[in-house]
Amino acid sequence: MAENYDVIIIGSGPGGYVAAVRASQLGLKTAIVEREHLGGICLNWGCIPTKALLRSAEILDHANHAKDYGLVLEGKMSADVKAVVARSRGVSARLNGGVGFLMKKNKVDVIWGEAKITKPGEIVVGKSSKPVVEPQNPVPKNIKGEGTYTAKHIIIATGARPRALPGIEPDGKLIWTYFEAMKPAALPKSLIVMGSGAIGIEFASFYRSMGVDVTVVEVMPTIMPVEDVEVTAIARKQLEKRGMKILTSAKITKVEKAADSLTAHVETADGKVQQITADRMISAVGVQGNIENLGLEAVGVKTDRGCVVIDGYGKTNVSGIYAIGDVAGPPMLAHKAEHEGVVCVEKIAGLPNVHATDKSKVPGCTYCNPQVASVGLTEAKAKEAGRDIRVGRFSFAANGKAIALGEDQGLCKVIFDKKTGELLGAHMVGAEVTELIQGFVVAMNLETTEEELMHTIFPHPTVSETMKEAVLDAYGRVLNA
Ligand SMILES: Cc1cc2nc3c(=O)[nH]c(=O)nc-3n(C[C@H](O)[C@H](O)[C@H](O)COP(=O)(O)OP(=O)(O)OC[C@H]3O[C@@H](n4cnc5c(N)ncnc54)[C@H](O)[C@@H]3O)c2cc1C
């Protein structure tokens, strides 16, 4: 007879494994199915290994500017890319092992293989279509194998994979996806990055720090197109100062491949076509949900543009089937996946006062150099929504800590509703802003007023003081500028 659970989760990324932990805490008998790697894309090929690579890049950048800090390091620093990649893979391996530990600790059964929903309440787990990818720590002991399993609730948390443009499909050799970009055997001399969203620009930043000649090609008028234009203009200037070439309103229409290089045909806004030759190209034109081969059509689960359609609690149109994380649509971010997982499971468990996920308050962070972070509406979006707004800004050039750090190129920008004082959006570029943005996220979540923010004491000297000054600026009360 099929083993029965309260909840079965398909996919062990940050959405799936966090949902499993919470389900178990709530007393639900829980299993998680994984076909490839515990921890999903985030721990193995996404958030974590990129941040490890970017940390090496950051240290190298600092070392190369040691003189600016009065330090003497002889000669130009350089990277041993094999060691940089090995460190990154090691960081992933450690966390991947940590997920195995968490499943065991929380008595969550891990079922190894590829899951397909055969009917509401039933899945069949077959042999994985994917090879088990390194880093794969010893598979946890509480593991089950192929077979049929039943559950009152099935949560789809199968994540996403790279999107490809027709005619410019990644081949793993000359045109890379994030998988190949994450562990190059050697550094290319030159690189084209197609797409300047968070994934593209982070890799562009990493490879530039490693000394690679990088050209970013973005079809939209600005890099990091979802971010506020003022912030991305500063980021662009800094990236260009570091030697990165950036083409915006530019489209790669064709790629010609040679034995060990490629030439991209780039059409710019004025209709002109230029050819750029490079050793490698990274295709970073977005991701698409893993909705195939899950039996969704057979059980009638609705999808839209490659993602499962859900309500604010992860419910699909079919009773007993839920979806969370990347497969349930944008923003495709790990913290959004985790949050949706917790909300979904708490609703299943019947907890009172479970709030639907509010996507307007999901922060976004990009860990390039300089970093970019934001939450809520950009100035353009706030205006588009017809809001009467007040905008405040504070430059890092007037912040003591930023100057002491030698990182005075940055901006904090806030947007308030003029009538109500509601904080509609906050946008930052510069040192450590990915750590700072959370202050505004908490403020927005608690519906903090502008008055309360202005009366909050920020520690000195910190870059966080730019946040308070930006708020003061919005109300004509800025102190240090
Ligand atoms: C290079 C890169 C950098 C990123 N950086 C960040 C960042 O800094 N911050 C951030 O918030 N987000 C970042 N992301 C995005 C983040 O990785 C995703 O949003 C996150 O992993 C989504 O989590 P998930 O649980 O929905 O899915 P995933 O992490 O994709 O996990 C899904 C899991 O489901 C498994 N699976 C799929 N189908 C089946 C099946 N049929 N049976 C069994 N198992 C199955 C897969 O093997 C996988 O392990 C980055 C992504 C990339 C690619």
Side-chain angles (χ1 to χ4, degrees):
M1 214 177 74
E3 185 157 1
N4 187 43
Y5 292 90
D6 295 316
V7 180
I8 290 180
I9 299 157
I10 308 174
S12 72
Y17 91 76
V18 167
V21 170
R22 186 72 187 119
S24 175
Q25 284 174 351
L26 292 167
L28 301 167
K29 187 181 174 199
T30 307
I32 196 160
V33 194
E34 176 54 54
R35 66 180 180 187
E36 208 175 341
H37 38 209
L38 288 176
I41 289 297
C42 174
L43 269 58
N44 297 283
W45 298 103
C47 327
I48 299 296
T50 45
K51 268 72 263 176
L53 294 179
L54 286 159
R55 177 70 170 154
S56 295
E58 186 185 2
I59 290 173
L60 182 58
D61 288 340
H62 282 315
N64 278 323
H65 287 97
K67 214 167 145 226
D68 301 347
Y69 297 86
L71 304 174
V72 183
L73 287 178
E74 293 300 340
K76 188 169 160 54
M77 298 294 125
S78 62
D80 170 356
V81 74
K82 281 202 172 69
V84 169
V85 169
R87 177 177 179 274
S88 165
R89 301 320 294 157
V91 170
S92 278
R94 178 167 162 188
L95 287 162
N96 159 302
V99 174
F101 164 80
L102 283 176
M103 296 302 95
K104 193 169 176 200
K105 180 180 163 216
N106 288 283
K107 299 189 174 48
V108 174
D109 283 348
V110 177
I111 305 171
W112 206 259
E114 191 146 328
K116 186 171 183 160
I117 303 171
T118 34
K119 58 183 177 200
E122 185 184 273
I123 64 162
V124 167
V125 178
K127 201 170 156 32
S128 174
S129 64
K130 303 260 179 194
V132 171
V133 184
E134 59 76 40
Q136 192 61 62
N137 273 324
V139 169
K141 293 216 169 53
N142 48 333
I143 196 150
K144 312 241 166 184
E146 294 160 29
T148 301
Y149 297 87
T150 57
K152 280 192 219 82
H153 308 279
I154 295 171
I155 303 177
I156 302 162
T158 50
R161 62 182 184 281
R163 202 161 75 84
L165 291 187
I168 317 179
E169 288 88 358
D171 58 11
K173 185 175 174 271
L174 295 174
I175 305 181
W176 292 347
T177 64
Y178 50 78
F179 291 110
E180 293 82 25
M182 198 77 75
K183 39 176 251 170
L187 286 173
K189 279 206 172 57
S190 53
L191 176 73
I192 297 168
V193 178
M194 179 169 62
S196 75
I199 293 176
I201 214 76
E202 284 186 5
F203 278 118
S205 187
F206 166 73
Y207 278 98
R208 183 63 208 127
S209 296
M210 295 288 119
V212 176
D213 180 4
V214 175
T215 305
V216 174
V217 182
E218 168 59 54
V219 74
M220 301 298 280
T222 57
I223 57 166
M224 296 181 260
V226 297
E227 300 292 349
D228 192 276
V229 292
E230 240 176 294
V231 156
T232 59
I234 293 171
R236 177 177 184 155
K237 204 168 150 200
Q238 289 301 105
L239 291 166
E240 285 175 335
K241 213 167 134 192
R242 291 179 49 215
M244 195 183 288
K245 290 169 215 134
I246 298 175
L247 297 172
T248 44
S249 300
K251 190 175 169 186
I252 297 180
T253 51
K254 192 164 101 179
V255 170
E256 282 164 354
K257 294 182 189 173
D260 202 24
S261 67
L262 48 77
T263 300
H265 293 232
V266 183
E267 196 180 305
T268 41
D270 52 13
K272 289 193 182 126
V273 177
Q274 54 173 297
Q275 296 185 8
I276 303 173
T277 298
D279 291 344
R280 299 289 179 269
M281 179 162 117
I282 298 176
S283 170
V285 292
V287 294
Q288 64 187 86
N290 292 325
I291 56 169
E292 298 81 6
N293 306 319
L294 282 167
L296 300 186
E297 307 80 14
V299 288
V301 170
K302 251 196 219 157
T303 59
D304 181 32
R305 279 165 285 171
C307 293
V308 178
V309 178
I310 58 165
D311 69 5
Y313 302 96
K315 275 175 134 179
T316 70
N317 60 310
V318 177
S319 173
I321 301 182
Y322 311 77
I324 58 170
D326 282 7
V327 74
M332 293 189 179
L333 293 168
H335 41 281
K336 180 270 215 175
E338 287 181 25
H339 188 77
E340 282 184 338
V342 169
V343 166
C344 179
V345 159
E346 289 186 347
K347 193 76 177 166
I348 286 172
L351 289 198
N353 306 320
V354 180
H355 299 290
T357 300
D358 179 356
K359 290 191 186 175
S360 72
K361 295 194 177 75
V362 179
C365 293
T366 306
Y367 300 76
C368 50
N369 174 9
Q371 296 183 355
V372 170
S374 64
V375 60
L377 296 177
T378 61
E379 184 176 352
K381 288 273 176 220
K383 284 181 178 159
E384 234 176 85
R387 308 291 288 249
D388 197 5
I389 56 172
R390 261 176 197 278
V391 179
R393 297 173 183 81
F394 195 80
S395 165
F396 281 27
N399 174 265
K401 179 69 182 292
I403 296 169
L405 288 175
E407 311 234 15
D408 65 347
Q409 295 302 304
L411 178 76
C412 178
K413 174 173 176 181
V414 287
I415 297 149
F416 287 95
D417 184 292
K418 211 175 207 170
K419 281 187 217 80
T420 63
E422 180 191 355
L423 178 60
L424 299 175
H427 307 272
M428 302 182 80
V429 53
E432 296 308 331
V433 299
T434 55
E435 293 291 342
L436 296 175
I437 195 69
Q438 192 56 15
F440 284 130
V441 181
V442 172
M444 276 176 99
N445 232 15
L446 298 179
E447 298 180 2
T448 308
T449 65
E450 77 287 13
E451 274 298 320
E452 287 162 333
L453 276 169
M454 286 190 277
H455 283 113
T456 302
I457 300 170
F458 284 68
H460 175 79
T462 61
V463 181
S464 75
E465 288 169 287
T466 63
M467 300 162 74
K468 178 164 176 173
E469 291 277 17
V471 174
L472 289 169
D473 183 55
Y475 289 86
R477 288 173 47 181
V478 70
L479 295 168
N480 283 290

